[in-house]
Amino acid sequence: MSELITSWWEEQMPETLNALVQEFIVSADDNGFVPLKAFAQKTLKRSANDISTFFDLESRFYSRYQQTIIHNIKHNVVFIKRYKKDGSLRARVCEGGVHQDDLLTFITRAKNEIEENEKRFDVAYKNYYGLE
């Protein structure tokens, strides 16, 4: 079933994705950056917070993502730490987005990485529980 969905996606992706990218470009700021929250859920079925991991210097996978997913991708993603009145960390918030010129490339790379991660997880799950 997963292979059927993947092949359908690959066939439909160019037309559908190009139309979606044009829709997202409307939400770009004055410098041409499209916020992560504008496209993450609709194209990648993930929250902006999930997608921000690709840009997170503190992520254990950052060096791999830097060489693959965000390689040569213009973005202005930054992480801001927000603190409580007592000085303790309340939240770490991601702001910014991907430049409209690189949006299609980023979405395609991110989609492929997410699919590969899901496959690796399925294999690890089956191996752990002795399925198959």
Side-chain angles (χ1 to χ4, degrees), residues 104-122:
L104 183 60
T105 302
F106 173 75
I107 291 171
T108 304
R109 288 178 185 175
K111 179 105 178 119
N112 290 338
E113 181 66 21
I114 290 166
E115 288 173 354
E116 287 301 313
N117 282 341
E118 288 174 349
K119 288 177 187 174
R120 286 189 289 262
F121 176 81
D122 289 346

Side-chain angles (χ1 to χ4, degrees), residues 6-7 19 21 33 36 46 49 63-64 67-68 74 79-81 83 85-86 90 93 97 100 102 107 109-110 114 124:
T6 303
S7 67
V21 167
F33 290 96
L36 295 179
R46 300 289 187 274
N49 190 47
S63 61
R64 185 169 59 110
Q67 295 170 9
T68 56
K74 290 178 278 200
F79 291 86
I80 300 169
K81 292 182 179 180
Y83 297 92
K85 290 181 182 179
D86 67 1
R90 180 181 65 183
V93 181
Q100 62 190 15
D102 295 328
I107 291 171
R109 288 178 185 175
I114 290 166

Side-chain angles (χ1 to χ4, degrees), residues 53-106:
T53 305
F54 293 133
F55 304 96
D56 190 355
L57 291 169
E58 294 180 14
S59 168
R60 63 186 173 142
F61 302 112
Y62 179 75
S63 61
R64 185 169 59 110
Y65 294 153
Q66 189 178 27
Q67 295 170 9
T68 56
I69 298 170
I70 62 172
H71 181 70
N72 292 332
I73 298 288
K74 290 178 278 200
H75 66 87
N76 65 352
V77 176
V78 293
F79 291 86
I80 300 169
K81 292 182 179 180
R82 302 226 169 115
Y83 297 92
K84 297 177 184 177
K85 290 181 182 179
D86 67 1
S88 62
L89 183 63
R90 180 181 65 183
R92 193 165 167 262
V93 181
C94 172
E95 293 182 358
V98 175
H99 196 272
Q100 62 190 15
D101 295 342
D102 295 328
L103 188 58
L104 183 60
T105 302
F106 173 75

